[in-house]
Amino acid sequence: MTETAAWDTYSKQKPERRPVNAAGETTWFNWTQYPDHGPGTEVLSITPGANVLDLGCGKGGNLAHVATLGARPVGVDMSMAQIKGAEARWPDIKLELHQAEATRFLAEGEEQFDAVFSVFGAAWFTDPAALLPAVRRRLRPGGVFAFSQRPPVEGCYGCQASYITRSEDEDPLVVKRWDYEPDRWTSLLEEHGFTAVAARVIPAPPGPRKIGTLLVHAQG
């Protein structure tokens, strides 16, 4: 319940996605924390009719773009506030949305997915020992699993604490996240049976901010 409250709180704090991107598009896919930067859905190799799952879908910005490619978009998020935000933001795009914890959702079904992704989402905030086998079980052979998050701070690896602030009169809420260097993520995925694993840090765009984005990509 604490994590659900934390993500509901985060939902209220996160800025709304822009109406259009720099190219004037109303939907787009963004792996990084920077607008109009980095690769897009080519990472996922999505084809029309594919079943695509977003773990930690938030307000559905990336998932909505997946829908425009002719795929079946399925999103999971712990926060009902995020789910309702997605429904309000994309009323004309059919998104299949579920309020659930990621590993529980994966454990309770049998349907196979052609691609599973997470952008600063459940793949960052779920113990990989539980998440990776659950994802692989639901990923069709040869399907793509990809996720992005901030790179770890040097020397700070494994389970870390993230604080989500509230009012001045309330203590922050705490959620756990898992930080590893690219080589360690590669080893973890290979240990759980994934193949063609690639992990890299995408540099930040030119400007004052220097923290890049960790992008991990593998096949089931």
Side-chain angles (χ1 to χ4, degrees):
M1 294 300 294
T2 300
E3 288 191 356
T4 300
W7 294 122
D8 282 343
T9 300
Y10 175 79
S11 173
K12 299 173 184 177
Q13 299 171 353
K14 186 173 174 59
E16 295 295 327
R17 176 172 277 219
R18 298 165 294 160
V20 297
N21 64 5
E25 300 162 327
T26 57
T27 68
W28 64 93
F29 199 104
N30 198 33
W31 290 101
T32 82
Q33 63 269 45
Y34 303 104
D36 309 303
H37 176 64
T41 51
E42 67 273 10
V43 173
L44 298 172
S45 302
I46 294 172
T47 57
N51 286 338
V52 180
L53 174 63
D54 183 355
L55 297 175
C57 63
K59 294 178 183 176
N62 287 319
L63 199 62
H65 186 67
V66 166
T68 68
L69 303 179
R72 172 177 166 245
V74 181
V76 177
D77 203 284
M78 289 184 67
S79 168
M80 180 54 72
Q82 294 280 53
I83 296 293
K84 290 181 177 179
E87 292 171 342
R89 178 66 178 81
W90 310 104
D92 299 323
I93 296 179
K94 186 177 181 180
L95 305 177
E96 183 179 324
L97 303 171
H98 302 267
Q99 183 194 18
E101 190 273 329
T103 57
R104 179 174 296 179
F105 175 84
L106 291 165
E108 290 178 349
E110 299 295 331
E111 180 183 15
Q112 297 282 285
F113 290 94
D114 300 284
V116 178
F117 72 91
S118 176
V119 177
F120 288 62
W124 196 9
F125 296 97
T126 307
D127 185 347
L131 182 70
L132 296 182
V135 169
R136 189 165 183 270
R137 188 180 74 84
R138 298 290 297 274
L139 193 64
R140 71 163 177 79
V144 174
F145 175 45
F147 60 91
S148 64
Q149 59 196 58
R150 285 188 179 87
V153 175
E154 184 177 355
C156 298
Y157 308 125
C159 185
Q160 308 287 320
S162 288
Y163 291 91
I164 297 177
T165 58
R166 296 191 285 178
S167 72
E168 293 182 356
D169 298 324
E170 298 175 292
D171 286 332
L173 294 164
V174 182
V175 295
K176 296 177 181 179
R177 70 177 194 273
W178 277 261
D179 290 332
Y180 293 107
E181 293 181 301
D183 288 350
R184 181 55 181 148
W185 274 119
T186 298
S187 297
L188 284 169
L189 269 76
E190 289 176 346
E191 289 167 9
H192 285 89
F194 290 88
T195 62
V197 184
R200 64 187 177 99
V201 175
I202 302 169
R209 296 176 62 182
K210 303 303 179 185
I211 297 175
T213 306
L214 175 68
L215 177 64
V216 182
H217 172 277
Q219 291 182 344

